[in-house]
Amino acid sequence: MARTLKLRIWRGDDKTGGLQDVTVEANHGEVVLDIIHRVQATQMGDLAVRWNCKAGKCGSCSMEINGKPRLACMTQVASYPEDEVITITPLRAFPVIKDLVTDVSFNYKKAMEIPAVVMPEGMKPGEPRMQQVDVERSQEFRKCIECFLCQNTCHVIRDHEENKKSFSGPRFFIRIAELDMHPLDMLRNRKKTAQEEHGLGFCNITKCCTEVCPEHIKITDNAIIPMKERVADEKYDPVRWLGSKIRRREEVL
Amino acid sequence: MTLEKHKYDVVIIGAGGAGLRAAVEAREAGLSVAIVCKSLFGKAHTVMAEGGAAASMGNVNDNDNWMVHFRDTMRGGKFLNHYRMAELHAKEAPDRIWELEMWGALFDRTNEGKISQRNFGGHEYPRLAHVGDRTGLELIRTMQQRIVALQQQDAKEHGDAEKNMKVFAEVTITEILKENGKIAGAYGYRRESGSEVLFQAPAVVIATGGVGKTFKITSNSWEGTGDGHALALKAGANLVDMEFLQFHPTGMVWPLSVKGILVTESVRGEGGILTNSLGERFMFKYIPDVFIDKYADNEAEADRWYEDQDNNRRPPELLPRDEVARAINSEVKAGRGTEHGGVFLDVSKRLSAEVIKKRLPSMWHQFYELAGVDITKEPMEVGPTCHYVMGGVEVEPDSAAAVGVPGLFAAGEVAGGMHGSNRLGGNSLTDLLVFGRRAGKGAADYVKANGANPVSDAAIEKAAAKIEAPFTSTGGENAYTLHQELQEITHNLVGIIRTGAELTEAIEKIADIRKRSGNISVTGDRKFNPGFHLAFDLDNMLLVAESTAKSALLREESRGGHTRDDFPGMNSTWRQVNHISSFDGDKVSIKSQPLPVLPKELFDLFDVHELEKYMTSAEIAKGGSN
Ligand SMILES: Cc1cc2nc3c(=O)[nH]c(=O)nc-3n(C[C@H](O)[C@H](O)[C@H](O)COP(=O)(O)OP(=O)(O)OC[C@H]3O[C@@H](n4cnc5c(N)ncnc54)[C@H](O)[C@@H]3O)c2cc1C
Ligand code: SF4
Ligand code: SF4
Ligand code: FES
């Protein structure tokens, strides 16, 4: 069952580094993260990699495998042909700390810039009533495991450090969409700020983010496009937005 | 290198559900708070919880209330629970869930628009608030976003988001510091750079989660190395009842690389049945006497229960976890297991593919991607996996203060007592919230009453020397190898079924590994070096394993998460005993301590005939304390 695997793993830090060739055994059913752990335990004790759950639930083990942004714990070795050399590199959109570990603090800064949910005034714990169909839209976005693969793949920032300042990225577009569609959230103008403060306008709907999302969140179709469309609406008719919110608020009370 | 130093009122070790809830409470009480965690913010083990959070909101069946929940929790724990913790938990859990909703959480709904609740093993009514099968993610994200919301307030008011509360991600605490017998702070290193960090604080909350990585087959993430258990022991606190470990009945068994990964109990809650290789639905054979009036002994009734819960007993697949895990273990041992040493769990016969994908999306995903199994069409292969530690830091229930160490608090999986000898599914997530909040408040009250307690240079030097040790050692032991050896020992000798002889052997072997671990040498430098990190984690796991093996050897009965082949029955006299572990700097020792007696008003919540199954006749005659 075992097979011998040839890997090229990027080793280095923010200053120097390069690909190193490694040969290692792989067993039936193993994922790339298993292989990295074997390399760590037997050949490179100090090989740096992030991981937690090994079940696709925490979004820690993001890296690029043969150039594709992926979760290493959900990538079967068997999905690569026997003779193929598997190349493992850190996420490209973020600065390398060491080996496969990158500095993803950009994402935490962007999270801080999105205002939190604002509950209807006077609403008490236990009071909210919401229908399943109404929470489902936001629930889709709350599936996000913050692996930041979408951020890594988005061409707006992947090779354009200069855009990071004004572009929050797909992960945070779905966060804004989630709050905007949240049946209880009372903060207005979420879509407008997505456009004006978070750089929604930079997005030209290439859908690359949706393609890499391990949670299969339809980032473009369900979050970005509706926000872009309604941003256009709102610019002309803010009253309509207010109307829809108030109606929804009545429904939930 | 100059030492990085910080001063806070409260340092919270751990950013899982318990740590984050404690942080919010302490911060809202007006204190400055540091949250320290080994992973990135939002990745703690809590994120993996699937099934739900138990709270008797009564949204689905309005017969539910805190008293029913309390009774279920005590039964699940085989009455070894600290009654006061179980009581507080049952009473406060609904408020903690509703509060999450006010912070933006979006739980699945009932038709009336309330929070939906699902069935789970050992819970009499549908009680688990949930979001599909990713409830832990919802909980941790909500708490994470609550922390961000509080930081945004500080940014607005003070121009500095991190003025009152800051997250120190990827920092490992290696030591809790004391001065004059009281807490003074915590010391650790940044995983990224290996550089050291000092936190000065008069109160420390330990919220470090579980110990699963001590075992070979586990559902836990790498963080579950028992750090908090060991830190507490080293700081002079006690651990209570470390013999009790929960082996979850359903972990994946194949392929090998995913062995141990959890298959949520919701699969059974939603109607999944267990069969052996002969196709027998074997759980009917394993209903213990104490549960005979609550569980169906035939298929027809078990099946009817899904439609009509008031007039039928529940299916035995939903027995408490310890029962199901032992049953699976017996079937496999008797040669009726699957090819890969498990049993079958099948949900495809009862639910349509569409419903399965909707209610159990991450299970579908997990099997499809990792095992090539489509659970809407085929059964899963499952077997027991080390899941949860019931034992933990001995605390005062109301304040979560660690017994014996002023300024130290503990909450969440790392705290002991709440779940007795066996935890019910769903009770952990609400435990985190209820006691996380209480620990935050306990710490805040303590700091307000006591003030700062400066750390001495001597204590700093000592802590720093320990961190440097694996780099200067030339002993040549490899941390990875020792870890694997430890896992073999715990798996083979301290596992789901135990004997006195094997436990004695385990204790000797663990001591031997401990000796060798003093000679661990690390390759590479301090920068994000997993070998170096493991050296510290291993030291903690060794203490935990020692405490578990020694407590297990002393307890000569079988109860919940502790099964002795040489003492198979439950024994009412043993029920009155807690095992307290303490550490003298060299070895763990265990002493017996009486279990707090159920007060009369809680005693009276039970039918006396039920209590007779657990208690001695003297206890029954007394009818609880007054
Ligand atoms: C797969 C799975 C599914 C589960 N499903 C459910 C469920 O449906 N319902 C339920 O009620 N329970 C469930 N549980 C149990 C529950 O998830 C855990 O018991 C609970 O999440 C533990 O939370 P915690 O806050 O105590 O600690 P954790 O979430 O484990 O967090 C521990 C924190 O401490 C930090 N830490 C640890 N050591 C150190 C150190 N030395 N220095 C600094 N930081 C440190 C870690 O980085 C982490 O942030 C499940 C468990 C598993 C494994
Ligand atoms: S669709 Fe927009 S956000 Fe997504 S990758 Fe393309 S440009 Fe980036
Ligand atoms: S949206 Fe998808 S790809 Fe992006 S961070 Fe979340 S889970 Fe990852
Ligand atoms: S380790 Fe958690 S997603 Fe891969």
Side-chain angles (χ1 to χ4, degrees):
Chain A
M1 209 70 92
R3 79 190 237 205
T4 307
L5 206 65
K6 285 196 173 16
L7 302 178
R8 311 188 74 191
I9 302 181
W10 198 90
R11 301 230 40 200
D13 55 23
D14 49 348
K15 290 176 202 77
T16 57
L19 289 167
Q20 282 188 20
D21 290 312
V22 187
T23 306
V24 61
E25 291 292 297
N27 300 314
H28 173 83
E30 282 187 330
V31 292
V32 170
L33 186 61
D34 290 314
I35 306 305
I36 294 174
H37 283 155
R38 184 161 306 123
V39 171
Q40 224 177 32
T42 56
Q43 307 181 34
M44 300 173 173
D46 59 344
L47 172 63
V49 59
R50 273 198 191 104
W51 69 289
N52 267 43
C53 67
K54 206 174 164 292
K57 293 196 163 74
C58 71
S60 303
C61 62
S62 307
M63 56 188 72
E64 300 197 359
I65 305 176
N66 286 351
K68 292 229 164 62
R70 301 198 59 111
L71 297 178
C73 73
M74 296 302 279
T75 303
Q76 291 275 346
V77 173
S79 62
Y80 300 93
E82 288 273 342
D83 50 359
E84 186 166 334
V85 179
I86 302 177
T87 305
I88 304 173
T89 49
L91 295 178
R92 194 162 97 196
F94 307 114
V96 171
I97 292 171
K98 184 183 163 195
D99 305 337
L100 304 174
V101 174
T102 55
D103 175 358
V104 291
S105 57
F106 163 77
N107 299 289
Y108 292 93
K109 284 197 201 88
K110 292 295 177 186
M112 188 67 79
E113 289 166 11
I114 299 174
V117 67
V118 177
M119 284 289 141
E121 212 166 303
M123 182 174 261
K124 295 205 179 58
E127 281 179 359
R129 296 289 178 271
M130 296 178 262
Q131 287 304 311
Q132 185 64 31
V133 286
D134 294 328
V135 298
E136 246 157 37
R137 292 186 302 173
S138 294
Q139 277 184 334
E140 179 188 6
F141 307 133
R142 291 183 71 84
K143 286 198 307 199
C144 170
I145 58 175
E146 299 205 324
C147 64
F148 309 130
L149 290 177
C150 57
Q151 304 285 81
N152 175 63
T153 211
C154 177
H155 68 95
V156 179
I157 44 177
R158 186 167 168 90
D159 290 313
H160 296 277
E161 197 59 32
E162 71 280 7
N163 285 344
K164 279 189 177 168
K165 210 167 144 275
S166 40
F167 185 77
S168 296
R171 158 61 187 126
F172 297 100
F173 297 148
I174 65 165
R175 170 69 174 142
I176 297 169
E178 170 218 317
L179 288 164
D180 188 52
M181 298 178 192
H182 193 300
L184 300 175
D185 181 54
M186 296 309 290
L187 190 70
R188 49 167 307 179
N189 283 341
R190 291 224 184 247
K191 289 189 224 52
K192 199 157 150 249
T193 50
Q195 183 83 9
E196 290 170 4
E197 289 166 29
H198 298 278
L200 187 66
F202 280 94
C203 162
N204 51 355
I205 321 191
T206 58
K207 298 203 182 186
C208 312
C209 49
T210 304
E211 273 162 32
V212 297
C213 176
E215 286 293 310
H216 307 294
I217 299 169
K218 298 209 171 59
I219 303 172
T220 18
D221 288 2
N222 292 350
I224 294 178
I225 294 174
M227 281 207 293
K228 277 182 178 268
E229 280 168 359
R230 279 185 251 135
V231 165
D233 276 359
E234 268 171 40
K235 282 198 174 140
Y236 297 104
D237 188 4
V239 182
R240 200 166 121 191
W241 180 90
L242 199 60
S244 76
K245 267 291 174 189
I246 286 172
R247 200 179 63 246
R248 262 161 51 199
R249 179 174 143 79
E250 280 162 357
E251 276 165 19
V252 300
L253 280 178
Chain B
M1 202 189 297
T2 53
L3 175 64
E4 178 184 344
K5 291 184 188 169
H6 302 280
K7 261 195 193 132
Y8 284 92
D9 295 324
V10 183
V11 171
I12 294 174
I13 312 174
L20 297 184
R21 189 61 190 83
V24 166
E25 198 66 16
R27 163 70 186 75
E28 288 187 334
L31 271 67
S32 67
V33 180
I35 303 166
V36 189
C37 55
K38 292 203 282 188
S39 299
L40 292 173
F41 189 29
K43 308 288 182 202
H45 185 85
T46 299
V47 88
M48 295 174 76
E50 294 165 353
S56 61
M57 294 180 285
N59 291 350
V60 173
N61 187 323
D62 58 17
N63 291 323
D64 205 9
N65 58 47
W66 79 264
M67 290 171 281
V68 189
H69 191 180
F70 171 76
R71 283 198 291 262
D72 287 345
T73 302
M74 294 296 291
R75 276 177 199 132
K78 304 270 165 25
F79 285 80
L80 198 76
N81 319 54
H82 194 307
Y83 70 83
R84 178 67 179 157
M85 294 179 88
E87 177 191 6
L88 289 171
H89 171 257
K91 283 183 174 162
E92 295 176 3
D95 286 341
R96 298 287 80 78
I97 296 294
W98 286 322
E99 169 180 273
L100 289 181
E101 197 169 52
M102 299 306 283
W103 295 340
L106 285 173
F107 291 100
D108 287 347
R109 318 305 297 182
T110 65
N111 289 336
E112 297 167 277
K114 296 181 183 175
I115 295 174
S116 172
Q117 301 189 264
R118 66 158 51 117
N119 283 302
F120 235 58
H123 292 282
E124 181 151 354
Y125 298 116
R127 190 176 283 145
L128 270 68
H130 56 93
V131 187
D133 51 6
R134 56 161 190 88
T135 315
L137 173 65
E138 186 69 14
L139 192 149
I140 206 150
R141 205 63 84 227
T142 303
M143 294 302 311
Q144 181 182 349
Q145 287 163 353
R146 177 67 190 160
I147 302 254
V148 168
L150 291 169
Q151 290 179 322
Q152 288 170 342
Q153 273 176 19
D154 281 340
K156 212 182 251 168
E157 281 166 31
H158 309 285
D160 176 7
E162 293 179 332
K163 180 172 186 297
N164 292 316
M165 183 157 54
K166 183 168 165 149
V167 180
F168 293 82
E170 301 195 310
V171 172
T172 300
I173 297 295
T174 52
E175 197 160 327
I176 290 174
L177 306 171
K178 291 201 307 189
E179 292 295 339
N180 308 317
K182 295 197 251 174
I183 291 297
Y187 199 86
Y189 62 85
R190 285 191 177 273
R191 299 172 74 82
E192 247 176 43
S193 58
S195 66
E196 291 162 31
V197 198
L198 168 71
F199 295 94
Q200 307 218 46
V204 168
V205 178
I206 304 181
T208 50
V211 307
K213 281 291 159 191
T214 316
F215 284 76
K216 191 166 101 180
I217 299 173
T218 176
S219 63
N220 290 191
S221 73
W222 69 264
E223 293 190 318
T225 51
D227 293 11
H229 291 80
L231 289 170
L233 273 181
K234 291 178 190 167
N238 300 326
L239 304 182
V240 58
D241 290 346
M242 286 299 287
E243 62 270 45
F244 295 108
L245 274 162
Q246 182 168 79
F247 290 84
H248 194 291
T250 59
M252 292 176 82
V253 296
W254 185 256
L256 271 185
S257 78
V258 296
K259 198 163 179 150
I261 293 183
L262 192 76
V263 179
T264 172
E265 187 168 323
S266 333
V267 175
R268 282 169 288 136
E270 299 287 354
I273 58 164
L274 291 164
T275 55
N276 59 24
S277 59
L278 306 175
E280 291 165 343
R281 193 167 165 190
F282 58 84
M283 279 309 299
F284 293 107
K285 294 187 298 193
Y286 294 95
I287 305 171
D289 287 348
V290 288
F291 288 120
I292 215 91
D293 49 343
K294 294 226 158 5
Y295 289 84
D297 53 9
N298 62 85
E299 281 196 43
E301 181 176 352
D303 289 345
R304 282 199 307 272
W305 178 85
Y306 287 100
E307 308 304 323
D308 175 5
Q309 297 173 7
D310 291 335
N311 298 306
N312 294 290
R313 291 171 297 174
R314 35 193 19 239
E317 275 87 2
L318 295 180
L319 276 161
R321 290 181 176 165
D322 52 329
E323 311 288 354
V324 184
R326 270 193 301 270
I328 294 176
N329 200 57
S330 306
E331 286 297 306
V332 174
K333 272 207 170 150
R336 294 187 292 271
T338 63
E339 186 190 344
H340 303 113
V343 296
F344 293 113
L345 172 62
D346 195 351
V347 68
S348 68
K349 300 217 172 48
R350 199 186 300 274
L351 302 178
S352 71
E354 194 190 328
V355 173
I356 293 174
K357 282 194 193 168
K358 182 149 191 163
R359 294 211 193 135
L360 303 166
S362 60
M363 277 304 109
W364 184 81
H365 207 147
Q366 185 174 311
F367 272 89
Y368 197 76
E369 304 214 345
L370 295 177
V373 169
D374 181 350
I375 66 167
T376 65
K377 300 199 183 78
E378 322 158 61
M380 301 158 242
E381 268 182 84
V382 297
T385 178
C386 180
H387 185 57
Y388 186 90
V389 60
M390 273 70 72
V393 180
E394 187 191 14
V395 292
E396 305 282 354
D398 288 74
S399 63
V403 173
V405 186
L408 188 62
F409 299 79
E413 189 167 342
V414 71
M418 155 75 205
H419 305 283
S421 69
N422 175 48
R423 173 182 70 96
L424 292 185
N427 268 0
S428 170
L429 290 185
T430 34
D431 166 7
L432 308 181
L433 298 170
V434 167
F435 293 101
R437 172 179 160 277
R438 284 185 168 270
K441 180 161 188 316
D445 292 345
Y446 174 87
V447 173
K448 285 178 184 166
N450 290 274
N453 187 24
V455 180
S456 66
D457 289 345
I460 297 174
E461 275 162 32
K462 218 174 108 222
K466 268 195 214 159
I467 294 184
E468 185 55 23
F471 287 106
T472 49
S473 158
T474 51
E477 293 281 1
N478 176 330
Y480 295 101
T481 315
L482 291 185
H483 184 206
Q484 276 164 14
E485 286 182 31
L486 173 66
Q487 289 180 324
E488 287 298 330
I489 296 167
T490 49
H491 179 80
N492 295 328
L493 307 174
V494 199
I496 186 163
I497 310 284
R498 303 162 174 171
T499 67
E502 288 179 351
L503 289 167
T504 310
E505 188 187 337
I507 293 167
E508 278 165 26
K509 288 190 160 167
I510 293 165
D512 178 54
I513 297 191
R514 233 205 16 199
K515 220 180 279 153
R516 288 163 57 200
S517 74
N519 292 326
I520 289 178
S521 317
V522 172
T523 58
D525 61 13
R526 279 194 174 209
K527 205 166 173 183
F528 213 115
N529 184 343
F532 164 59
H533 302 164
L534 184 61
F536 287 95
D537 297 346
L538 181 66
D539 193 48
N540 299 325
M541 289 187 274
L542 284 164
L543 269 193
V544 167
E546 183 181 344
S547 169
T548 296
K550 286 183 170 170
S551 306
L553 179 62
L554 287 182
R555 186 171 291 274
E556 297 186 333
E557 65 156 350
S558 295
R559 176 185 300 276
H562 168 69
T563 305
R564 284 284 296 263
D565 222 13
D566 41 355
F567 297 96
M570 203 157 55
N571 177 325
S572 304
T573 314
W574 271 110
R575 194 199 67 86
Q576 297 170 291
V577 176
N578 281 142
H579 279 148
I580 303 293
S581 299
S582 58
F583 183 59
D584 61 7
D586 175 37
K587 59 181 186 318
V588 176
S589 40
I590 316 288
K591 71 169 203 263
S592 295
Q593 178 173 295
L595 175 77
V597 178
L598 211 56
K600 186 163 176 4
E601 71 271 16
L602 295 177
F603 185 98
D604 288 343
L605 292 179
F606 294 91
D607 184 321
V608 162
H609 297 299
E610 179 174 17
L611 293 179
E612 281 167 353
K613 297 174 189 167
Y614 298 97
M615 296 185 176
T616 63
S617 42
E619 286 176 276
I620 299 287
K622 205 161 167 247
S625 70
N626 290 306

